[in-house]
Amino acid sequence: SDIASPFEALIWFHNCAFARVERFNFDGLLSTAVLGGPYGDMGWQIPASAMKFSDTKDWRASYCKGWQFPLDGIIIDDLIPDDRKLSGNGTTDCEFWECGRQGVSIVGAFGNLFSRTKCYRIGKNTRIITSAPAAGFDIEPEGSRVCHHIRFIDCEASDNYGPGLLDAIGSRTFDVLWTGGKLIGTTSPPVYFSGGRRFVFWDTLIVGGVNTFRGGASPYGPGGEEFGNCYWTNDPARSPTGFVYDPGGNKLAANASTGNYFWRCIFENAIKTASANGNTNGPVYDACTILAKAGTLAMYGKFRGGTEIIEQVTNGVQAVPGGFSPYINAGDAESEFYVTTLTGGRRRYPATIARF
């Protein structure tokens, strides 16, 4: 039951009023560290991270890099402020790679802000010490903590063993906004949902399939995951390894359902197999573009805002709203929509329902 570890964190601020860490490079020395003993809930979780902030009121880490730590790049364990004001704690221009468990581990947060922070190859280190979930960014409130009002701006999670962004405990996670940046899944989903309420993604490149949507009670939530102006693809050229995560059946937004809302998103099938996504009359696609670049692509749900369905390969369009011949019914359309085929050009189709 004993463990061997050289440190718990190279820098650890606990119960401090103010902390700033800038322009540090942290080498976890995973290739030479003396480690041992079973530890943690799954796998080998050796308590050795680059940075840890716990119960510290005002802190930020900027321009820091951390690599090959047995546990995490950074652990964040913030309290809810007494005045319940958003803390603004977080990271700017930081990078974490090849750590054993997480790049950024968020176990308690209230109004935290992460900007231009990258996590890649987590759980894929040269000395294979990997602990579940091996995610890039892990939102996982522990004990009595909560993770509320978290913002990610121009961040990137790519080629991690686990999910790029993980909502591990949905019941105490609320209001997460990811804007800009990239989420690239190679061996696991780019993002994994567990029921956290109000996850919103804006202007983000999403590479790989997701099959853990939780939806919500209405087309706009509460609880339903929402996406605006995102580009969703399975194109291997977008992956640093040439491999893209497939949850089965070459899906993109596999089980998107009622409560999921997509506005001005592009869905691109770039693999030469069929890709059928969503549920008939479930998610809402508002002014989206469905692009069949290879194989066949179908997005099932509800449509509004002049949806564009574009075929770039013969018979690439599989389903359209209303099931107009020769297509399968993809669901109802509240407004007219457009289908462009290789042989027939661009054609306008009428709405199939007055209002959802």
Side-chain angles (χ1 to χ4, degrees):
S1 61
D2 294 333
I3 61 171
S5 178
F7 53 87
E8 185 156 341
L10 291 182
I11 292 181
W12 184 358
F13 288 91
H14 175 68
N15 199 24
C16 298
F18 180 89
R20 293 292 185 272
V21 180
E22 295 186 0
R23 303 184 188 279
F24 273 81
N25 290 340
F26 300 96
D27 187 345
L29 296 173
L30 191 55
S31 60
T32 59
V34 178
L35 307 168
Y39 179 82
D41 53 354
M42 296 180 68
W44 290 65
Q45 297 193 347
I46 306 299
S49 301
M51 293 180 282
K52 183 174 181 178
F53 296 86
S54 57
D55 298 352
T56 293
K57 293 182 178 180
D58 182 351
W59 67 266
R60 284 201 72 78
S62 304
Y63 308 103
C64 294
K65 296 181 179 180
W67 61 91
Q68 292 202 357
F69 282 84
L71 200 64
D72 302 335
I74 182 171
I75 300 175
I76 296 145
D77 187 7
D78 286 358
L79 290 166
I80 298 177
D82 293 336
D83 57 9
R84 299 191 71 85
K85 290 183 178 179
L86 303 185
S87 71
N89 298 339
T91 61
T92 299
D93 290 301
C94 292
E95 294 184 35
F96 306 101
W97 65 91
E98 294 188 359
C99 298
R101 187 181 68 168
Q102 262 89 247
V104 175
S105 184
I106 307 170
V107 301
F110 195 87
N112 293 57
L113 172 64
F114 303 89
S115 61
R116 299 185 301 277
T117 296
K118 299 180 180 180
C119 298
Y120 48 93
R121 292 188 52 77
I122 301 301
K124 296 184 177 183
N125 46 60
T126 54
R127 179 180 174 185
I128 305 301
I129 294 180
T130 300
S131 297
F137 298 84
D138 177 31
I139 304 174
E140 188 170 352
E142 294 183 350
S144 60
R145 298 292 206 243
V146 299
C147 291
H148 288 183
H149 314 299
I150 303 172
R151 301 293 181 260
F152 299 93
I153 300 175
D154 293 329
C155 293
E156 181 176 332
S158 175
D159 188 27
N160 299 294
Y161 185 81
L165 174 64
L166 173 62
D167 164 29
I169 301 177
S171 61
R172 285 178 282 129
T173 300
F174 173 73
D175 187 23
V176 176
L177 171 64
W178 182 293
T179 178
K182 302 175 183 179
L183 289 164
I184 302 175
T186 54
T187 54
S188 291
V191 56
Y192 187 101
F193 301 111
S194 295
R197 292 174 295 131
R198 188 146 181 86
F199 271 75
V200 178
F201 299 80
W202 179 262
D203 200 25
T204 303
L205 173 65
I206 303 174
V207 180
V210 173
N211 64 344
T212 58
F213 291 94
R214 301 296 169 155
S218 72
Y220 306 101
E225 301 85 11
E226 302 176 19
F227 300 80
N229 206 40
C230 294
Y231 198 109
W232 209 314
T233 181
N234 54 18
D235 189 347
R238 300 274 191 169
S239 164
T241 65
F243 293 95
V244 174
Y245 178 73
D246 177 10
N250 189 32
K251 309 289 189 182
L252 293 170
N255 70 323
S257 59
T258 300
N260 293 129
Y261 181 68
F262 303 90
W263 181 80
R264 297 185 65 85
C265 293
I266 297 175
F267 296 92
E268 176 191 68
N269 183 38
I271 296 179
K272 295 180 180 179
T273 57
S275 178
N277 303 270
N279 297 279
T280 303
N281 291 327
V284 172
Y285 305 101
D286 190 344
C288 292
T289 298
I290 298 168
L291 181 60
K293 186 177 179 180
T296 60
L297 177 60
M299 305 299 298
Y300 295 96
K302 300 177 181 179
F303 301 81
R304 59 156 59 107
T307 297
E308 291 273 358
I309 303 174
I310 301 174
E311 179 182 81
Q312 292 187 338
V313 62
T314 303
N315 298 322
V317 174
Q318 183 179 12
V320 304
F324 293 95
S325 180
Y327 305 107
I328 299 171
N329 183 17
D332 289 324
E334 190 181 79
S335 59
E336 60 186 19
F337 60 95
Y338 303 88
V339 178
T340 300
T341 64
L342 290 178
T343 58
R346 187 172 187 261
R347 181 177 175 183
R348 182 176 63 186
Y349 289 85
T352 65
I353 191 172
R355 191 171 182 82
F356 297 148

